[in-house]
């Protein structure tokens, strides 16, 4: 008996008991649909984290000042005025593994434009900030070295600030006031979205670092900054860059061998990669949990196929009596089990795609369906059919023809 004939017999046998076949496939449908939907949810979370990592820049370090101590109390990292613009320049010049560094003096301020006002993060930066954060310009221009040297009163705005102060009006060339100091808007940044920590990266106004030091926030001493962003030359240089930065700053700050650092070097890419790895584990966990439904569906197929073998015992005996071999009987029942699993798997794939779209729509959660997950689910459902259909098929093939013909 060839494969096509076996397939026709299998489909005919399934059509005889349509309701029973449909209920048998239900377990596979739910299992495959759940696997596809859960993997899509996990993949969506992983893609979202990857996009957030890309939005902050690649191969990035953040250097924070050390902690201050007063009255025996330590106030945490970032509270001591220990970093300067010259530190940032030295890091870029003397650390071979470093590509760029950008000193930063951030602060919160009220910005006024006409009769509108908005409180936002104002960052004093150099042009290197945009290179380190991989942030281009949407309209106008970025801050230049001439702006930093001359402490000019110019500002580049993020999308959230533009929307709240200007609406649909082009802000380039307009005058805004930051702490009552007039600034000319020279550029608008493209949208970056939320940071991995949930902060709106577009709620920002960037001014020259020297202007922030002299005219907006002041400093405890000349050249002081609160943060230094550093970009390494590549992922393979991250460890070496971290070591070089630490050694250079200890040397510049004259920190003895047994003294603690008065700064903190954080490998931001490493921290965020941990979050991406967590999303990957979550995807595997969700897929594994959903796979349990497939196994339950496979047990249902085995149960129904055993019932089918019992019901068709006399039919099996007649086929053997007219010349059918045990291998033919086994192939026929095995094909019936696989057809059941594959039809259920196909419907399950459609259900999974629809389910993931509904999750994305109602829960506002990104989902990502990959072609690989569809093929994997389809192949797995076929494997379930073969695995759980083998025992009933073997039982049918081993029947004694005489005993089968006597069966009532």
């Amino acid at each position: 008996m060839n494969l096509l004939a076996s397939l026709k017999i299998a489909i005919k046998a399934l059509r005889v008991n349509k309701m029973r076949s449909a209920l048998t496939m239900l377990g596979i449908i739910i299992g495959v649909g759940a696997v596809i939907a859960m993997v899509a949810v996990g993949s969506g979370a992983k893609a979202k984290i990857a996009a957030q990592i890309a939005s902050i820049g690649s191969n990035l370090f953040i250097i924070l000042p050390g902690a201050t101590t007063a009255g025996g109390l330590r106030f945490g990292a970032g509270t001591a005025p220990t970093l300067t613009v010259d530190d940032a320049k030295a890091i870029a010049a003397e650390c071979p593994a470093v590509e760029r560094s950008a000193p930063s003096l951030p602060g919160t301020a009220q910005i006024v434009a006409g009769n509108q006002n908005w409180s936002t993060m104002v960052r004093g930066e150099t042009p290197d900030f945009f290179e380190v954060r991989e942030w281009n310009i949407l309209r106008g221009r970025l801050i230049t070295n001439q702006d930093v040297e001359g402490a000019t009163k110019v500002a580049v705005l993020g999308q959230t600030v533009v929307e709240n102060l200007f609406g649909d009006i082009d802000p380039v060339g307009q005058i805004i006031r930051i702490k009552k100091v007039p600034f000319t808007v020279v550029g608008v940044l493209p949208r970056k979205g939320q940071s991995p920590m949930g902060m709106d990266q577009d709620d920002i106004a960037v001014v020259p670092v020297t202007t922030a030091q002299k005219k907006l926030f002041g400093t405890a001493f000349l050249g002081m900054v609160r943060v230094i962003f550093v970009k390494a030359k590549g992922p393979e240089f991250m460890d070496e860059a971290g070591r070089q930065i630490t050694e250079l700053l200890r040397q510049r700050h004259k920190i003895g061998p047994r003294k603690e650092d008065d700064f903190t070097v954080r490998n931001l890419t490493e921290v965020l990669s941990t979050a991406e790895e967590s999303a990957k584990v979550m995807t595997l966990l969700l897929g594994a949990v959903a796979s349990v439904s497939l196994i339950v569906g496979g047990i249902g197929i085995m149960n129904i196929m055993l019932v089918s073998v019992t019901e068709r015992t006399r039919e099996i005996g007649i086929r053997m009596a007219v010349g059918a071999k045990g291998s033919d009987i086994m192939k026929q029942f095995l094909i019936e089990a696989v057809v059941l699993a594959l039809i259920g798997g196909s419907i399950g794939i459609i259900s999974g795609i629809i389910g993931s779209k509904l999750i994305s729509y109602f829960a506002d959660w990104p989902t990502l369906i990959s072609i690989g997950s569809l093929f994997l689910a389809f192949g797995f459902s076929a494997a379930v059919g073969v695995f759980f259909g083998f025992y009933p098929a073997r039982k049918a093939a081993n029947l004694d023809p005489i005993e089968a013909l006597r069966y009532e």
Side-chain angles (χ1 to χ4, degrees), residues 127-209:
D128 288 327
F129 170 76
F130 304 101
E131 297 286 343
V132 171
R133 295 291 309 276
E134 298 175 359
W135 213 343
N136 297 316
I137 193 72
L138 180 66
R139 292 196 298 276
R141 67 170 178 85
L142 295 171
I143 288 170
T144 64
N145 287 323
Q146 289 73 24
D147 292 324
V148 175
E149 292 169 2
T152 58
K153 292 181 283 188
V154 296
V156 177
L157 303 182
Q159 290 286 326
T160 301
V161 178
V162 171
E163 290 168 2
N164 283 281
L165 291 181
F166 297 99
D168 296 330
I169 301 172
D170 186 358
V172 177
Q174 302 282 344
I175 300 298
I176 60 174
R177 291 183 176 276
I178 306 175
K179 288 193 170 185
K180 299 181 181 179
V181 178
F183 282 77
T184 302
V185 179
V186 295
V188 177
L189 296 168
R191 191 176 295 280
K192 263 206 179 254
Q194 283 192 349
S195 72
M197 284 69 75
M199 296 177 64
D200 182 3
Q201 298 184 89
D202 302 306
D203 196 1
I204 185 176
V206 183
V207 302
V209 65

Side-chain angles (χ1 to χ4, degrees), residues 89-139:
K89 291 179 180 176
I91 289 170
E94 301 178 33
C95 295
V98 169
E99 182 178 325
R100 289 179 184 276
S101 69
S104 177
L105 183 61
T108 302
Q110 199 78 13
I111 300 181
V112 178
N115 60 353
Q116 301 293 323
N117 68 90
W118 183 252
S119 179
T120 186
M121 173 72 73
V122 178
R123 305 194 71 99
E125 305 288 353
T126 64
D128 288 327
F129 170 76
F130 304 101
E131 297 286 343
V132 171
R133 295 291 309 276
E134 298 175 359
W135 213 343
N136 297 316
I137 193 72
L138 180 66
R139 292 196 298 276

Side-chain angles (χ1 to χ4, degrees), residues 43 59 85 95 99 115 124 128 132 135 144 159 174 181 188 216-217 226 266 276 312 327 362 398 408:
S43 299
N59 313 319
V85 172
C95 295
E99 182 178 325
N115 60 353
D128 288 327
V132 171
W135 213 343
T144 64
Q159 290 286 326
Q174 302 282 344
V181 178
V188 177
L216 292 181
F217 304 126
R226 293 198 179 95
R266 291 182 180 172
E276 190 179 27
R312 294 158 64 187
S327 59
F362 287 107
N398 291 335
E408 296 293 338

Side-chain angles (χ1 to χ4, degrees), residues 389-405:
F390 180 78
Y391 176 70
R394 187 168 178 271
K395 184 179 179 182
N398 291 335
L399 283 175
D400 186 323
I402 297 175
E403 293 297 328
L405 285 170

